Amino acid sequence: MCGALTGDLTAATDAGNQAIIQGVVTRGGAPVQGYVRLLNADGEFVAEVPTSATGAFRFYAASGRWILRVLAPGGVTQDREVEANVGSVSRVDIELSAA
Amino acid sequence: MSRQDVLVDADWVEAHLDDPKVVIVEVDEDTSAYDKGHIRGAVKLDWKKDLQDPVRRDFVDKAGFERLMSERGIANDDTVVLYGGNNNWFAAYAYWYFKLYGHQNVKLLDGGRKKWELDSRELTQEVPTRPRTNYVAKDPDLSIRAFRDEVVNAIGKLNLVDVRSPDEFSGKLLAPAHLPQESAQRPGHVPTAKNIPWSKAANDDGTFKSDDELRRLYSEAGVDFSKDTIAYCRIGERSAHTWFVLHEILGLPNVKNYDGSWTEYGSLVGVPIEVGSGS
């Protein structure tokens, strides 16, 4: 449940009846070891996962608008909005500006 | 209890890494985090394998807890410092568990594993060996643990604090959004429960908010500090985090964690359930 994915995100993730939000966090093209928080449209915390060794993260959400917040070492944070839909995978790759 | 008695910061932990009477313990559900790197000298506890009964849905019993502590080399008079991922959810759960079995000196690392990592502090893969002890636990202190009938009887009488996210509380989601959506039979919450998500008690880096902020958070959300309180979530780990805030940091006297939580309550036949954002 701690939630770090163990491998890469496969292109063929079957969302089934889930509304999946997933992606990779990088900085200068290299994977970032950090955390991704999922906030609801009002900015309230919903969930958080550490990124995997490849910088990957995944959430099981519901249809609607969500906000992703990346926390990276060095006090770096970055927010991104995302629309999720049941039965599909919303892919959000996040490139952090160089430290 | 107050904040100074129950919380330590990362500098304190670094200063006590070689203190033989201080045992650092990482607690996680997914212990691969520990295997990849942990605070030097830390032993690991697996929330599921070590702390849960393998057959029944319950804790390991007193004898099992004694065996576990003895194997890990934790003595009755050691100061145990717990930390973990998920903003210390499982570390807070383990803290509650250590208190339930009567361990005197136990503390949480404020901010847990996340703050330690975001601060880029040292992690190691070296697994420590601690000599075996002969740990003796006390009988479980049920004044801090709630069971389902107490929750039903508390409706409209005691403070019920549902610490899940607003979408779980209203019934839109059945589980936290980083998990596949499978859980209790029915979504919703216990009628009259106040929805005060655990996350409101913590900063982004996982540290706890100040005493004043915490007191304001719960009183403004309708918690009556003169009444007894039961906290619950989905499986009792996030509500252990809130139990820690109310009972240990703020020092409220009668606070219980309902570890059966929504996966039990939402599957019970015939109990009252409310959906929506609450009354």
Side-chain angles (χ1 to χ4, degrees), chain B residues 145-155 158-163 193 227-232 239 246 254-259:
Chain B
R145 186 184 194 194
F147 294 92
R148 57 181 177 268
D149 292 345
E150 292 174 77
V151 176
V152 174
N153 290 333
I155 294 171
L158 308 185
N159 298 311
L160 284 164
V161 180
D162 184 319
V163 315
K227 287 183 181 172
D228 296 357
T229 300
I230 297 173
Y232 73 91
S239 48
L246 294 171
N254 296 312
V255 185
K256 293 185 176 188
N257 181 22
Y258 170 40
D259 57 297

Side-chain angles (χ1 to χ4, degrees), chain A residues 1-2 35 44 48 60, chain B residues 29 86 114 117 177 200 204:
Chain A
M1 168 156 174
C2 240
Y35 288 80
E44 291 290 339
E48 178 184 278
Y60 300 87
Chain B
E29 188 179 42
N86 287 79
K114 180 169 68 173
E117 286 180 355
K200 288 188 182 294
D204 271 6

Side-chain angles (χ1 to χ4, degrees), chain B residues 263-279:
Chain B
T263 52
E264 176 176 74
Y265 193 95
S267 298
L268 291 173
V269 173
V271 294
I273 288 179
E274 191 175 77
V275 291
S277 58
S279 41

Side-chain angles (χ1 to χ4, degrees), chain A residues 1-6 17-19 33-35 37-41 44-53 58-66 69 71-77, chain B residues 28-30 32-33 36 85-87 89-90 113-114 117-120 165-168 172-173 175-182 197-200 202-206 234-235 237-238:
Chain A
M1 168 156 174
C2 240
L5 296 171
T6 47
N17 61 354
Q18 308 284 337
Q33 303 299 295
Y35 288 80
R37 316 195 106 196
L38 183 71
L39 312 178
N40 71 11
E44 291 290 339
F45 175 91
V46 177
E48 178 184 278
V49 291
T51 55
S52 73
R58 176 180 293 148
F59 292 107
Y60 300 87
S63 294
R65 202 166 63 81
W66 305 85
R69 174 170 296 167
L71 306 180
V76 176
T77 66
Chain B
D28 273 315
E29 188 179 42
D30 167 13
S32 64
K36 275 181 279 181
N86 287 79
N87 293 280
W89 291 352
F90 293 96
R113 185 182 173 95
K114 180 169 68 173
E117 286 180 355
L118 292 175
D119 287 353
S120 304
S165 63
D167 287 334
E168 293 171 85
K172 183 177 172 189
L173 296 179
H178 61 290
L179 294 172
Q181 295 295 308
E182 50 199 25
W198 70 273
S199 54
K200 288 188 182 294
N203 299 306
D204 271 6
D205 66 5
R234 187 181 70 106
I235 54 172
E237 76 315 20
R238 285 176 286 177

